[in-house]
Amino acid sequence: MTSVGKYLVMIYDDEAKWDAADPSVMEQNHKNHQAFADANGPALRGGGQLDGSTTATSIRSDGGGGFVITDGTFAETKEVMGGYYIIEAADLDEALAIAKQVPSPMGGVEVRPIINGG
């Protein structure tokens, strides 16, 4: 019996490259994501594009029962999470085969099993 699981595919991009790109590159990327969704529809369980990292707000525990809230992403990196898909696959190998098709011309993707919820 095959155990189907859910996986989070996080799309990481270099926002500076997107900012410098011609608008036609973004338009083509949207078309590529639509083609990905059309080709992998049965496996898709959700997804979305995130707003830019400048709109992020991070929350961390202050260690004393309170929180520190700061503008910006949790970690300062060149590539930031710009979108995601939740997919359903028979196993990690199938999830990776699907994730390899995710358009990410300015970065890459990370795949993780969802172990609770989803």
Side-chain angles (χ1 to χ4, degrees), residues 2-53:
T2 302
S3 175
V4 175
K6 291 184 182 172
Y7 296 83
L8 178 63
V9 180
M10 296 168 279
I11 305 167
Y12 287 90
D13 289 312
D14 183 332
E15 289 180 317
K17 287 182 180 179
W18 280 114
D19 290 343
D22 184 271
S24 65
V25 175
M26 178 65 84
E27 182 179 325
Q28 183 60 51
N29 194 53
H30 284 297
K31 290 178 183 177
N32 293 344
H33 277 278
Q34 185 60 54
F36 168 79
D38 292 344
N40 293 283
L44 297 181
R45 297 295 173 260
Q49 179 181 3
L50 303 177
D51 204 346
S53 64

Side-chain angles (χ1 to χ4, degrees), residues 1 5 7 17-18 27 32-33 44 50 58 60 66 71 73 77 86 99 104 116 118:
M1 180 175 177
Y7 296 83
K17 287 182 180 179
W18 280 114
E27 182 179 325
N32 293 344
H33 277 278
L44 297 181
L50 303 177
S58 296
R60 297 177 189 234
D71 292 336
T73 57
T77 61
I86 296 173
S104 185
N116 190 3

